[in-house]
Amino acid sequence: MLLAGLRIGRAVSPAQLRRQQQHAFGSLSRVIFIANAESDVGARDGKVKSFGEHNGNLDLKLEKHPGHGGKGGGTNPEELFACGYAACFNGALRLVAEKNGIKIGNSSVKVSVSLGVESETVTAGVPLCVGLAAKVHAEIEGVDGPTAQKCADLAHEFCPYSRATRGNMDVEVVGTAK
């Protein structure tokens, strides 16, 4: 665990340690925008919708994936996360390529998000610890394989979704020439 600002050999109170742990990530210095969403009582078999100023009028019926005991046929939270991650990562990819002087052609990003069991440990009173994992695959035109991987690695360093998941779930990032 990264504990920025702590020196080895220095006594640290539990309160100081908690503050350091809470801020081992980057805090926002300025909010660019806020996205809002709401889930109804149906949870994974219910509805989700966006709300607030400048919302995209998202209103979806959710269905549990058959692997999760559902009938399928609708979207699920992991698909929504994968969509957001893919769009954000592709934007980050294009930006970091430009800022690093790498000319690229068209790009596409596919993200696969897995829901799975991490352990049989009791978590919040439930005898199971579940988690997510992701595979990010960026395909980039106009570059060779090593350059595509470099761009994907740079995007993974910059992308807010990658930064939010870092240290919290397994993420595999692959860049290939298209």
Side-chain angles (χ1 to χ4, degrees):
M1 177 182 306
L2 173 65
L3 298 176
L6 294 181
R7 290 186 214 139
I8 295 175
R10 183 176 165 210
V12 178
S13 74
Q16 288 173 313
L17 183 59
R18 279 192 299 279
R19 278 194 301 277
Q20 288 291 335
Q21 289 172 336
Q22 289 170 353
H23 296 306
F25 56 87
S27 297
L28 298 178
S29 64
R30 180 175 58 93
V31 173
I32 297 170
F33 71 89
I34 298 172
N36 301 290
E38 176 183 7
S39 168
D40 70 11
V41 70
R44 287 181 165 271
D45 286 316
K47 290 185 79 167
V48 291
K49 64 181 179 179
S50 60
F51 67 90
E53 187 178 3
H54 305 294
N55 78 71
N57 296 316
L58 183 68
D59 191 351
L60 297 172
K61 171 75 174 107
L62 299 180
E63 297 284 344
K64 279 187 179 178
H65 188 279
H68 194 219
K71 62 181 179 183
T75 195
N76 59 63
E78 291 71 29
E79 285 178 327
L80 295 173
F81 182 75
C83 287
Y85 200 166
C88 188
F89 195 94
N90 203 7
L93 176 89
R94 301 197 66 75
L95 178 64
V96 298
E98 176 189 331
K99 295 297 182 186
N100 284 276
I102 304 169
K103 287 198 59 96
I104 64 172
N106 290 334
S107 59
S108 65
V109 175
K110 296 175 183 167
V111 175
S112 300
V113 174
S114 302
L115 172 68
V117 176
E118 290 182 4
S119 71
E120 304 296 323
T121 305
V122 175
T123 307
V126 178
L128 193 64
C129 181
V130 295
L132 300 174
K135 292 182 179 179
V136 179
H137 183 199
E139 294 181 310
I140 308 166
E141 292 180 0
V143 295
D144 60 13
T147 304
Q149 186 62 52
K150 178 181 179 179
C151 289
D153 291 340
L154 289 169
H156 186 51
E157 195 177 313
F158 179 79
C159 174
Y161 277 72
S162 291
R163 293 183 66 233
T165 60
R166 191 166 293 123
N168 295 310
M169 63 187 257
D170 291 334
V171 178
E172 176 185 331
V173 177
V174 175
T176 57
K178 200 172 190 181

